[in-house]
Amino acid sequence: ERRFPDHPDDAAPRIPPPPGQRLVAMPPLRILLIVLAVLVAPAAHARGVFYASLDSAFLVKGEVTRLTLTLEGATRPSELPSFVPTPDLAISPIEDGLRILPNRRRVFSYTYSVQSFKEGTHEIPVFKIMVGGAELETQPLRIRIAPVSELTFSTKKVGDREVRYYSAVFVPDRDPFQGETFRSEVKIYLPEDAGSTNPGVAELEHPGLVAWRFEPVPTTNRAILPTGKYFGLTFRSTASAISSGELTLGPGSARVVIRVRRLERGFTLWEDIPVDLDVPSRPIVALPLPPGAPETFAGAVGRFAIQATADTAALEVGDPIAVRLTVTGRGNLDTLPAPALDAPADEWKSYE
């Protein structure tokens, strides 16, 4: 098996599993049922799964974002998570507690603020927690601190107010490979008194790229920029290059809501006005895949693991065999076919 480089960030969106595949036997009579489960979260541990996520993986110097640790499938730990501090990142606890997800799953959540004044890409340290006598660890995350010079300053007339804002499109500082899924973000920085709530989505041109629309993150970041105090809105998505070469993500626009003050009959009124703000473009260089891929290579770019389990207890001739394939990891799983079964044609017949 050849492993191609994967993107360092671990905040790719969840991918639904493809349809299952079934095989029916030719003589001698056997039936094999194949179920494929595709997961982008870390593989489940017998005592739960523990993972980390960032509201924004791209910040400017001094900007503060939120780190969330989630523990699923476990009882309440007796101790808080631990980590080894790093000198380049200021990580401080905010809150912890039990959360009930929409599907009624119970998870324990731990949130932290993250800030850095040193430009470059930094690694969020691994967090550890003891659950039922076993130690669980989060996956490593990377966060990039960009110079303010990467932001584009613009103005927009909204009602009677001229709003000064900054915008940018961020991608990893490492050039992606063709077909590799990478995280991308649109950032909009608005003055603190703009009072933007309930942002819409950001839409970007993406010739030569497969990209989903950029969804807003419900929280905001705080940053001090050259023209004053601002709060940052983050719109997240993923993208992958269809071919290698020089590409461009953007330009486009982001829908936000600006609060504008106006006077009416001697009274001060506030009005929320939806507006589309311009977003600049970002050049991307997609690298060709390394040579030497096996003949069976179907375009998977990332880091994956596959596990097969089969129910083979107390079988008789003609009984079905249920096999479950579980693929975990991060990459472009949404564009790949289900794994093929290499079975003798005179013994097995496959159908969808």
Side-chain angles (χ1 to χ4, degrees):
E1 177 187 1
R2 180 180 178 85
R3 293 181 179 270
F4 291 102
D6 67 321
H7 184 260
D9 190 83
D10 286 336
R14 292 185 180 270
I15 303 168
Q21 199 180 59
R22 293 187 298 170
L23 292 169
V24 173
M26 302 293 284
L29 180 60
R30 302 178 206 165
I31 300 176
L32 179 62
L33 303 178
I34 304 293
V35 179
L36 175 67
V38 178
L39 305 174
V40 296
H45 190 279
R47 299 183 183 276
V49 59
F50 190 41
Y51 58 92
S53 62
L54 283 165
D55 281 1
S56 177
F58 305 94
L59 310 177
V60 294
K61 289 198 303 183
E63 183 178 353
V64 180
T65 192
R66 186 178 65 173
L67 170 70
T68 302
L69 311 181
T70 303
L71 176 64
E72 294 188 29
T75 57
R76 181 185 292 273
S78 58
E79 299 178 356
L80 294 175
S82 63
F83 70 98
V84 178
T86 174
D88 298 329
L89 296 173
I91 302 176
S92 303
I94 299 176
E95 63 179 358
D96 61 87
L98 175 67
R99 288 192 298 131
I100 306 298
L101 300 183
N103 56 6
R104 302 184 66 83
R105 283 188 302 147
R106 293 160 49 94
V107 301
F108 297 98
S109 178
Y110 308 85
T111 58
Y112 298 78
S113 65
V114 180
Q115 183 183 37
S116 179
F117 290 90
K118 185 176 180 179
E119 296 176 8
T121 299
H122 310 284
E123 187 165 292
I124 301 291
V126 171
F127 284 75
K128 300 180 180 181
I129 195 168
M130 294 297 298
V131 179
E135 185 179 72
L136 301 183
E137 294 184 354
T138 60
Q139 81 284 14
L141 297 178
R142 291 188 181 182
I143 188 168
R144 179 171 178 258
I145 309 302
V148 176
S149 59
E150 292 191 18
L151 304 181
T152 298
F153 178 76
S154 305
T155 60
K156 182 79 171 185
K157 189 73 170 180
V158 182
D160 295 330
R161 178 180 182 180
E162 185 176 70
V163 178
R164 300 184 296 175
Y165 69 96
Y166 295 82
S167 60
V169 176
F170 287 114
V171 296
D173 53 6
R174 178 181 63 79
D175 294 333
F177 284 88
Q178 175 186 341
E180 179 185 5
T181 300
F182 58 90
R183 179 170 178 164
S184 53
E185 292 184 7
V186 169
K187 299 292 288 282
I188 299 289
Y189 296 90
L190 293 168
E192 277 193 336
D193 62 351
S196 180
T197 58
N198 300 320
V201 299
E203 299 281 356
L204 298 184
E205 298 178 16
H206 49 88
L209 295 162
V210 176
W212 303 101
R213 70 178 186 177
F214 289 75
E215 298 285 351
V217 174
T219 59
T220 59
N221 301 337
R222 301 292 172 179
I224 299 178
L225 300 177
T227 54
K229 295 183 179 180
Y230 283 72
F231 65 89
L233 298 175
T234 302
F235 303 80
R236 295 189 306 205
S237 184
T238 58
S240 61
I242 300 174
S243 59
S244 60
E246 296 182 358
L247 305 169
T248 302
L249 183 58
S253 62
R255 171 60 62 95
V256 301
V257 178
I258 304 294
R259 176 161 292 183
V260 177
R261 183 176 60 181
R262 60 185 177 87
L263 294 176
E264 185 174 318
R265 297 180 181 179
F267 293 94
T268 299
L269 302 177
W270 292 93
E271 181 180 4
D272 291 337
I273 300 177
V275 61
D276 292 321
L277 300 181
D278 293 334
V279 176
S281 60
R282 183 86 181 196
I284 296 172
V285 177
L287 304 176
L289 291 173
E295 294 181 359
T296 55
F297 177 64
V301 181
R303 177 170 294 172
F304 313 110
I306 186 168
Q307 182 182 23
T309 58
D311 184 7
T312 58
L315 290 177
E316 297 182 1
V317 176
D319 287 349
I321 302 173
V323 177
R324 182 180 182 87
L325 302 180
T326 302
V327 180
T328 59
R330 278 165 179 79
N332 59 343
L333 287 174
D334 54 336
T335 65
L336 301 177
L341 179 69
D342 185 12
D346 59 346
E347 295 185 15
W348 302 97
K349 181 180 179 181
S350 176
Y351 65 95
E352 295 275 333

